Structures are given as C-alpha cells and as structure tokens.
Amino acid sequence: FYLTPPQVNSILKANEYSFKVPEFDGKNVSSVLGFDSNQLPANAPIEDRRSAATCLQTRGMLLGVFDGHAGCACAQAVSERLFYYIAVSLLPHETLLEIENAVESGRALLPILQWHKHPNDYFSKEASKLYFNSLRTYWQELIDLNSGETTDVKEALINAFKRLDNDISLEAQVGDPNSFLNYLVLRVAFSGATACVAHVDGVDLHIANTGDSRAMLGVQEEDGSWSALNLSYDHNAQNVHEVERVKMEHPKSEEKNVVKQDRLLGLLMPFRAFGDVKFKWSIELQKRVIESGPDQLNENEYTKFIPPNYHTPPYLTAEPEVIYHKLRPQDKFLVLATDGLWETMHRQDVARIVGEYLTGVHHQQPIAVGGYKVTLGQMHGLLTERRAKISSVFEDQNAATHLIRHAVGNNEFGTVDHERLSKMLSLPEELARMYRDDMTIIVVQFNSHVIGACQNEE
C-alpha cells in the first residue's frame, strides 16, 4: 500500500503542536523561545500522553512526556494531574493560604497553570471534582506543614511525583459510589505510566524522570557541530545501578527473581512507574479491591493474576530521579521523548537532526556508507539527495515532526527514504506495534541571548 508524499505528511502532522513564548516589552525575558511537540501512534488508541504548561504563580515552565502501559488510563491521569501537584509543591505558603481561603469562601481561584494543549488532547471531565479534592487535601497538608523555608525545586518535584502516585493508589482503594468513576480510578491504578518532566526557570533546568522516557540536551560546539548531553537515566534492566537498587530493597532470598529476563518480577520493563498497583499492593489488598470492584474489572485478565514470586511488595516506585543542569549559551534545545524514539535513533543523531533543522544549516559531514558496497550510481544518488536537501526549504514546520520523519523513514545511509516512510506509516494497526512503539516528542528551543545575559549578571 503506497502513500503519496501529501498522505505521508497528513499522517505525520496530524498531532503536531507548536507554542511560541510571547515577547515581553520587546525583550524576551524567558529563557524558552518556544516548543514543538508531536505524537505518532503505534497502539490504537495511543498509550502515550504529553503536557506543557506555564506556571502562573511561580516562574517557570513545565513540559512532560508520559508513556502508558496496560492501556492509556494511567498516562492520561498523570498528564492531567502531575503539573498541578508540582505547581502546588512550588507555591509559597501565603499563596497556598490565598487559594485555600478562596475555595473556603467560594471565590474564584487564582489560576495556577496556563496549559498549552493540542486541540485533540483528551481531558477527563467526569473525574475533575475527585482530582481537585485530592489536590486540595495535598495543599492543605502543605499549609499545615509550613516550615517557612522556600521550596527546593528538586524536593518539590520528588514530593509531587510520590504524592500523586499515592493519591492514585488511595482513590482506587476507597472506590467511588459512582460506578463510572469507580471503574475509572481502578483502571488508572491497575494500568501504569512512566514520566519524564522538565521544569525550566531562567538558567535553571530540572529533569524529573521515572521510567524509560528520556531527556537530552542539544549542544552546539564551537565549530558549529552538534553534540548530545543526557539529562536522564533509564530505569530498566540496562541500568546496573537501578538493578542493584531494586535488589537491595528485598531480602537476599528473592535476589534471583526480583529481576528476571530483564524485567521486574519477569513482567515489567520499567523499574519505576506511576500506577501499576499489581507491583505495589499486598495480595490481600489486591483481592479485596477486585472483589468489591465493578464487574468489568473481573473481565480484565490483567487485574486477576498475581505476579510470580510476589513476597515483599512494593516492588515498584514512582519516585523520580532528578537531574539539575544550569543552562549555558551553547545549550540550544531540549528533547523530551518516550522510548519509541530512542529505540530507533541514537541521541547523537537526534542532536544533529534537530540542530540542523533549527539552524537550517547542514554541517557537511563526509558521506558514511558504513561497510556497504556502494556503486557509483548509488553514490551519485546520495550526493544528489544531499544537494536537494540543502537547497530545499524544510518541509516540516515543526521540529518534533521532522524528528519523527527521520525516526520512521531513515534508511541505512541516514537519509529519509520515502518508500520506507510510506510502508511504515501504512502498516495496519495490529502490525504497527510489532515494528515500532508509540512516539511522543517535545523539542524545547532555548533563547541563548537571555541565557547569556543571565550568566553575565551573575
């Protein structure tokens, strides 16, 4: 089944979104110029989610990608809720009091976040009251705990992640008299999601990561070439420290079974995630909740089984690993992406492709044909293609789309092959998942002048 270039473009651009940070008094005071984001589904429906928002009561911008598994319910809930928990964790005591007093007296609330959402982004209205009540309980506790100290961003991120995961678990245990909501909170808790979130405030960049999505900085070297700086570590079996951490948390007798076939208890790829209460609750609690839950839950095979060798839960945490980076003028962009991108592309290629796209300059590298026997005709073709690439204006208006085009359509020479792109995008739903995963990408572009000025002030 062959797709024409316009058909390919309409599939690739269907979920793209761009946001430019508005200029202020002719001077752009934000270190962020704007961001591009996009998603390409492999699952139907897609299990990835993305979020972006500006914090209105504190400074800074929040951006995140969320990769769901066992359905999209948990990723959906985390994408709607996590930024509120982070924003509330960052608020000063007097602002929290103002918000609480407004709720008490029925006055309009101070807006906490300005969301930058794609028109198709789903929002679960039915659960908004429940979500709000859980969030309110959290800020009431923060008011009571007031220590008078200003909140450390790293601490705020860790607290927000852990608290939201705790609330997801609690809501499922309490249940809800409304059967639709009851089923929703159980679906959220029994499915799971990883999260990779950036908080950018001036030159301060914090990445909070739980699971195996990644954050990477695109750095422009003095000679104009591009390099990649990792700002997160995958929490899976490839990470030796992570395997050690998990083993340390359980008795020696379980050492052989905690990580089996590169998975947690032989089942779960990420070693940190939201939801997934099958890896957190005691067996008794799981049975009690499922027995008292709605019938639909019993029909779901995933909820019924207990993981093998399940002796000392919890085996899974949503606690993020937080990495701080102070932005420098050579740090040009940040890529946040779910593992669907990193499975197909090396970070160095990601840095180069986005860097060249954003600057519109192709750093002429010698054509590498890595061990292939190339005829003169093929070489001529590659050179012609390169010339066309330089002269043509980029067909993508969005850096994330441009990256997806390469991730799905690159051939062995590192150039986009239309035929390959067409094949990959026309795979039927049941086959697509065998060839690739859902892909969600946010590319954040930094304002080097503002970052340089901030540095000089110091």
Side-chain angles (χ1 to χ4, degrees):
F1 184 58
Y2 190 74
L3 300 173
T4 63
Q7 286 172 318
V8 163
N9 282 346
S10 73
I11 293 172
L12 288 179
K13 293 170 188 263
N15 299 308
E16 66 180 15
Y17 178 82
S18 291
F19 176 76
K20 297 279 169 277
V21 172
E23 289 202 312
F24 179 76
D25 287 343
K27 290 196 296 286
N28 198 339
V29 292
S30 172
S31 56
V32 175
L33 283 169
F35 70 85
D36 290 339
S37 79
N38 201 351
Q39 293 187 297
L40 182 68
N43 292 297
I46 187 169
E47 295 184 345
D48 280 6
R49 293 291 183 272
R50 57 183 163 178
S51 292
T54 301
C55 300
L56 294 173
Q57 305 304 328
T58 53
R59 300 183 342 173
M61 196 167 190
L62 285 165
L63 305 110
V65 294
F66 312 95
D67 186 350
H69 46 263
C72 58
C74 189
Q76 177 62 42
V78 174
S79 74
E80 286 181 40
R81 305 178 68 182
L82 181 58
F83 287 6
Y84 280 114
Y85 280 71
I86 295 171
V88 162
S89 307
L90 288 166
L91 288 177
H93 185 248
E94 47 283 11
T95 313
L96 287 172
L97 277 174
E98 253 178 83
I99 291 172
E100 176 56 26
N101 292 336
V103 178
E104 273 285 293
S105 57
R107 290 197 314 274
L109 279 191
L110 285 173
I112 298 177
L113 294 172
Q114 177 196 352
W115 288 94
H116 311 299
K117 280 189 182 294
H118 187 277
N120 296 350
D121 283 353
Y122 172 73
F123 178 69
S124 43
K125 292 185 184 64
E126 302 81 9
S128 55
K129 194 170 178 311
L130 169 76
Y131 290 173
F132 178 79
N133 290 338
S134 293
L135 181 69
R136 185 183 177 188
T137 305
Y138 178 41
W139 79 55
Q140 287 171 336
E141 283 175 32
L142 288 173
I143 290 171
D144 294 342
L145 288 169
N146 172 37
S147 56
E149 293 164 26
T150 50
T151 318
D152 172 62
V153 178
K154 179 177 179 176
E155 207 179 317
L157 288 163
I158 292 171
N159 292 343
F161 272 63
K162 285 163 73 174
R163 177 59 181 236
L164 173 58
D165 192 53
N166 197 43
D167 283 354
I168 286 171
S169 171
L170 207 59
E171 288 157 4
Q173 290 172 50
V174 172
D176 197 283
N178 170 335
S179 61
F180 174 82
L181 266 183
N182 196 20
Y183 186 45
L184 176 82
V185 294
L186 289 164
R187 271 183 41 220
V188 169
F190 276 95
S191 58
T194 69
C196 188
V197 170
H199 179 265
V200 195
D201 177 8
V203 291
D204 298 322
L205 170 63
H206 287 84
I207 300 292
N209 183 49
T210 286
D212 51 10
S213 293
R214 282 185 203 166
M216 181 215 90
L217 208 54
V219 182
Q220 191 164 29
E221 304 298 341
E222 282 179 6
D223 65 357
S225 66
W226 295 94
S227 68
L229 178 64
N230 264 2
L231 288 181
S232 67
Y233 299 104
D234 294 354
H235 299 135
N236 57 23
Q238 273 58 62
N239 180 338
V240 189
H241 301 293
E242 197 60 9
V243 175
E244 277 314 300
R245 176 190 68 80
V246 173
K247 285 182 176 172
M248 288 286 292
E249 289 173 3
H250 300 278
K252 197 107 181 87
S253 57
E254 291 187 59
E255 202 171 35
K256 284 192 171 63
N257 298 318
V258 176
V259 177
K260 224 173 176 176
Q261 289 154 331
D262 280 354
R263 290 168 179 251
L264 192 64
L265 296 177
L267 296 168
L268 196 64
M269 288 278 274
F271 286 7
R272 301 190 194 197
F274 284 91
D276 282 320
V277 291
K278 295 210 71 58
F279 296 88
K280 294 172 181 171
W281 288 356
S282 68
I283 293 176
E284 299 75 54
L285 179 58
Q286 291 190 39
K287 284 185 171 153
R288 181 174 68 71
V289 169
I290 288 167
E291 277 162 19
S292 62
D295 295 339
Q296 299 113 299
L297 205 64
N298 285 320
E299 292 156 22
N300 183 339
E301 287 305 309
Y302 180 71
T303 55
K304 273 194 208 147
F305 82 97
I306 300 290
N309 305 303
Y310 197 77
H311 306 298
T312 52
Y315 288 88
L316 188 66
T317 177
E319 180 168 337
E321 190 171 10
V322 179
I323 289 181
Y324 170 74
H325 176 81
K326 187 174 177 183
L327 290 169
R328 312 156 299 177
Q330 64 265 39
D331 300 330
K332 301 297 183 187
F333 60 88
L334 170 73
V335 177
L336 298 172
T338 54
D339 61 349
L341 173 70
W342 311 108
E343 282 164 8
T344 57
M345 286 188 97
H346 190 273
R347 62 174 183 270
Q348 201 46 57
D349 294 327
V350 170
R352 181 182 53 77
I353 287 164
V354 176
E356 289 178 356
Y357 170 81
L358 291 175
T359 52
V361 179
H362 285 274
H363 211 66
Q364 291 286 21
Q365 288 169 323
I367 284 189
V369 288
Y372 294 99
K373 286 194 167 65
V374 179
T375 65
L376 213 54
Q378 284 170 316
M379 197 53 158
H380 175 71
L382 282 170
L383 289 165
T384 319
E385 194 174 336
R386 169 183 271 190
R387 196 159 53 237
K389 203 164 154 190
I390 296 163
S391 61
S392 78
V393 179
F394 284 108
E395 54 201 33
D396 296 316
Q397 307 298 306
N398 178 303
T401 308
H402 188 66
L403 201 45
I404 290 175
R405 188 183 296 277
H406 277 269
V408 179
N410 265 5
N411 59 17
E412 61 270 35
F413 303 122
T415 54
V416 175
D417 175 345
H418 178 76
E419 200 174 323
R420 181 182 162 78
L421 200 52
S422 168
K423 273 184 192 153
M424 290 296 279
L425 293 179
S426 58
L427 288 169
E429 278 170 10
E430 60 278 10
L431 275 181
R433 189 62 194 84
M434 292 163 68
Y435 287 90
R436 55 184 174 85
D437 196 354
D438 293 332
M439 226 177 265
T440 298
I441 300 172
I442 300 177
V443 178
V444 187
Q445 204 179 344
F446 295 120
N447 188 332
S448 307
H449 303 300
V450 170
I451 291 168
C454 289
Q455 270 194 338
N456 296 337
E457 280 170 25
E458 287 171 16

